[in-house]
Amino acid sequence: MKLTRREFLIKGTALLAALGLGGPMIFAEDGTPLSMVSDDPNVENPVLVIVQLSGGNDGINTLVPYGLGGYFDARPTLKITESEVLAINNEVGLHPSLTGLKQLYDQGKVAIIQGVGYPKPDHSHFRSMEIWQTAEPEKYIRSGWLGRYVETALAESKNPLKAIQIGSAASKAFSSEKIGVPLIQSIESFNFFDAKTPKADQNRLSKAFLDMYDPQRQIARVQVTCQRGVDAYESVEAIHALAGAYQNKIEYPKSGFAKDLQLVVRLLAGGAGTRVFNVQLGGFDDHADEKNMHAKLLLQMDQALSAFYRDLEAHGLQDRVVTMTFSEFGRRVRENGSGGTDHGTAAPMFVFGGRVKGGLYGTQPSLTNLDNGDLKYEVDFRSVYYTLLDNWLKGDAKGALGQTYEKLAFV
């Protein structure tokens, strides 16, 4: 197999995109290369797992305000009755599908932040998700809040696995003009070359790739792209080196979401040294037939997250990992005519882990004092981010978010 220099560059660029490390071929105006400072990955460092609930989860029927005035009137067919609610107190309780999270809550491992949102909420899935991923409601920017964290707090790390996205879709939260974050669907499928390529050809192509992408052998304007190529190659090598260290001690439910969470434990148990993961679960856009669909989706989420936490415990990792859930928005208070709910605003966030200070945080928004039919948010989501970056990851929270925000006491 012979490749011209042009063909190799084209295939190499496509490969980087496939590995989730793509981006503009030349993006740094000054051509500044990535840091080459030596690294000593500390596997004891705290880990943050982000769980993105795509579609706009109905927070009102997740943390059910069954004891507040207006709930049963607003949701005549979608209501969760008092006998069904997994009560936390005499005002709110969890959806009956969330028995696993309720058990963890009772153990003091789950913090529920009520009424989370942002000023001037946007009802567009795309724009609101972008706001949560960039942590910037006021203007459009290219970088994500986790990308900025990795750029600053982990700038000196050469670990190619310091941040990982799990699944099939990249998150703008990791967007950065300085770093690339691998996107992995499974260890088995995360390969640099087609598995059918003969071993001898793989070895020859690897050497050619590393020679061509060696930053020290290229002009300054393409050194960043070359470094991304080297990072991609090293991330594949590192992932496969970890594959055999995990012992399957917990039975996970048979869902893609559960499989993605199990992959997080596989990587951590193997000593990946990863500090931030991103996992996604979609399907929360319940405009119709919400009663059944939402219950099934919450059950899927609950069973997977419960197995994930038990697996972390089985591997002695529960005190190193904090998991945070979010959705781009909640739903409107009043149900629509199709047995569903439309795009809304504020919703609860869940944060859990062995070192999380469990309990309720913030205030449940009123169901009768509304903003044109929507909940008024009580906690800015950037306060949750700031708390996690500053108190848990010990990173430059102000640098990543642009300013300081009030911290919460859940960790």
Side-chain angles (χ1 to χ4, degrees), residues 171-201:
S171 168
K172 192 170 183 178
F174 288 98
S175 290
S176 165
E177 293 189 342
K178 297 180 179 177
I179 55 101
V181 176
L183 175 63
I184 302 172
Q185 291 182 286
S186 71
I187 290 178
E188 293 72 22
S189 64
F190 191 64
N191 293 306
F192 207 68
F193 300 108
D194 189 316
K196 297 178 181 177
T197 304
K199 191 65 177 178
D201 285 342

Side-chain angles (χ1 to χ4, degrees), residues 201-220:
D201 285 342
Q202 290 189 29
N203 292 337
R204 186 167 56 82
L205 288 168
S206 295
K207 183 178 184 307
F209 182 90
L210 292 174
D211 286 344
M212 189 168 292
Y213 275 79
D214 182 353
Q216 304 306 316
R217 300 173 62 177
Q218 301 295 343
I219 61 175

Side-chain angles (χ1 to χ4, degrees), residues 13-300:
T13 301
L15 173 65
L16 301 189
L19 294 174
L21 293 166
M25 282 293 292
I26 301 173
F27 60 84
E29 293 182 357
D30 61 357
T32 303
L34 294 179
S35 171
M36 297 298 289
V37 179
S38 64
D39 177 50
D40 180 19
N42 180 359
V43 296
E44 297 305 317
N45 284 334
V47 177
L48 177 63
V49 178
I50 305 295
V51 175
Q52 175 181 306
L53 307 177
S54 303
N57 179 40
D58 183 4
I60 294 174
N61 268 13
T62 301
L63 180 66
V64 184
Y66 72 100
L68 295 185
Y71 174 68
F72 293 104
D73 290 338
R75 300 202 166 196
T77 68
L78 294 181
K79 63 180 181 291
I80 308 296
T81 65
E82 183 172 354
S83 62
E84 296 173 312
V85 167
L86 305 175
I88 289 177
N89 57 32
N90 59 5
E91 290 190 344
V92 297
L94 295 174
H95 188 283
S97 293
L98 301 176
T99 55
L101 279 177
K102 179 58 165 57
Q103 186 175 10
L104 287 175
Y105 181 89
D106 291 340
Q107 296 171 7
K109 307 299 183 186
V110 180
I112 304 174
I113 302 98
Q114 304 172 99
V116 186
Y118 56 88
K120 301 177 182 177
D122 197 299
H123 288 119
S124 159
H125 287 293
F126 179 82
R127 178 55 187 153
S128 194
M129 183 61 79
E130 184 178 46
I131 287 170
W132 278 80
Q133 292 173 337
T134 61
E136 179 49 81
E138 299 295 331
K139 56 187 178 183
Y140 292 86
I141 62 174
R142 296 177 62 180
S143 66
W145 71 286
L146 293 172
R148 297 193 294 273
Y149 161 75
V150 175
E151 286 177 12
T152 54
L154 306 181
E156 297 186 355
S157 173
K158 288 178 62 180
N159 181 358
L161 308 179
K162 53 182 172 285
I164 295 177
Q165 304 179 79
I166 307 291
S168 58
S171 168
K172 192 170 183 178
F174 288 98
S175 290
S176 165
E177 293 189 342
K178 297 180 179 177
I179 55 101
V181 176
L183 175 63
I184 302 172
Q185 291 182 286
S186 71
I187 290 178
E188 293 72 22
S189 64
F190 191 64
N191 293 306
F192 207 68
F193 300 108
D194 189 316
K196 297 178 181 177
T197 304
K199 191 65 177 178
D201 285 342
Q202 290 189 29
N203 292 337
R204 186 167 56 82
L205 288 168
S206 295
K207 183 178 184 307
F209 182 90
L210 292 174
D211 286 344
M212 189 168 292
Y213 275 79
D214 182 353
Q216 304 306 316
R217 300 173 62 177
Q218 301 295 343
I219 61 175
R221 296 178 67 189
V222 297
Q223 284 181 344
V224 175
T225 295
C226 290
Q227 185 60 56
R228 288 196 175 198
V230 174
D231 288 345
Y233 182 86
E234 292 179 346
S235 68
V236 172
E237 295 292 299
I239 287 288
H240 285 274
L242 301 173
Y246 172 78
Q247 292 185 338
N248 190 358
K249 301 178 180 180
I250 298 296
E251 183 176 355
Y252 279 79
K254 298 186 184 307
S255 69
F257 179 57
K259 186 178 180 181
D260 290 347
L261 290 169
Q262 186 179 24
L263 180 53
V264 172
V265 185
R266 290 182 69 183
L267 294 169
L268 289 175
T274 306
R275 300 293 303 281
V276 184
F277 290 91
N278 190 80
V279 182
Q280 302 184 27
L281 175 63
F284 285 93
D285 197 14
D286 293 309
H287 288 284
D289 193 23
E290 177 174 325
K291 187 77 173 181
N292 295 323
M293 299 301 293
H294 194 234
K296 290 179 180 177
L297 203 52
L298 288 181
L299 180 62
Q300 179 185 347

